[in-house]
Amino acid sequence: MIDSMVIAALLALLVAPHVTDTAPCAEAARFLRTERHMLAEVEVDTIDDWRTKKRVAGCRITAAGGTEIGVNKEAVRFYELLRAAKWVRTPDPRDSPNEGSLRFRWEQSDCLFNINAEALLGTDAEQRVNDKLQVPAGQTRYQIFVMCMPAMAAAPH
């Protein structure tokens, strides 16, 4: 006889998104590390995506870097460079432009990029990248948090 707790645990595994890799984050992490010279850590994640109205398997990137032009101007430059690197806005992105968060697509991945002047999440990953980052004189530290998932159509409005 199977215990009801075992059945409940098995059912939870069947309905919960199972994250096994960080493939949706690969290009975003490469861009942050090589093009923006940031320290970046990639982790698996389950994302509650308001655009698709689904919980999806995905990944997150926690990054820290330095800028010589200030965080606000860096955010503008970052998104310009992202577009120049052939990232395109996700169709019907439903992002938060007034909060500095924009959603972009690379091939089969959708990534929501969030740029901040300081660490806001209090995660171990933020602590690790900030501990490793040596900000050169004349630069200001800034953070980027990215959530990536497989590209999907948006849910109807």
Side-chain angles (χ1 to χ4, degrees):
M1 185 98 175
I2 298 177
D3 181 273
S4 62
M5 289 180 63
V6 172
I7 292 172
L10 290 172
L11 286 173
L13 287 173
L14 291 174
V15 298
H18 183 66
V19 181
T20 58
D21 67 46
T22 57
C25 287
E27 183 57 26
R30 187 210 61 76
F31 180 82
L32 292 168
R33 290 174 178 143
T34 62
E35 303 298 323
R36 302 309 309 135
H37 310 289
M38 298 182 82
L39 293 176
E41 187 169 310
V42 181
E43 300 171 288
V44 295
D45 199 0
T46 300
I47 300 167
D48 189 6
D49 183 30
W50 61 87
R51 181 178 168 272
T52 60
K53 297 182 181 172
K54 296 179 182 179
R55 286 183 56 80
V56 296
C59 48
R60 65 179 176 253
I61 306 167
T62 305
T67 177
E68 71 286 348
I69 62 173
V71 178
N72 290 339
K73 289 180 181 177
E74 184 63 45
V76 172
R77 175 168 66 180
F78 177 82
Y79 289 124
E80 288 172 352
L81 292 170
L82 200 62
R83 285 180 178 99
K86 306 298 184 218
W87 282 78
V88 296
R89 292 285 275 135
T90 301
D92 193 14
R94 298 187 200 168
D95 46 26
S96 303
N98 292 333
E99 298 174 14
S101 302
L102 296 175
R103 193 182 295 245
F104 283 83
R105 181 169 286 176
W106 179 269
E107 296 178 355
Q108 296 302 310
S109 294
D110 282 346
C111 297
L112 180 69
F113 293 85
N114 304 274
I115 302 173
N116 296 294
E118 58 191 65
L120 298 175
L121 301 174
T123 63
D124 291 342
E126 274 183 338
Q127 186 70 43
R128 286 190 295 268
V129 296
N130 281 304
D131 285 349
K132 291 178 189 173
L133 179 66
Q134 300 294 317
V135 180
Q139 290 193 5
T140 303
R141 178 186 308 267
Y142 71 105
Q143 314 289 141
I144 295 184
F145 180 70
V146 187
M147 295 183 294
C148 297
M149 65 204 77
M152 293 178 274
H157 285 279

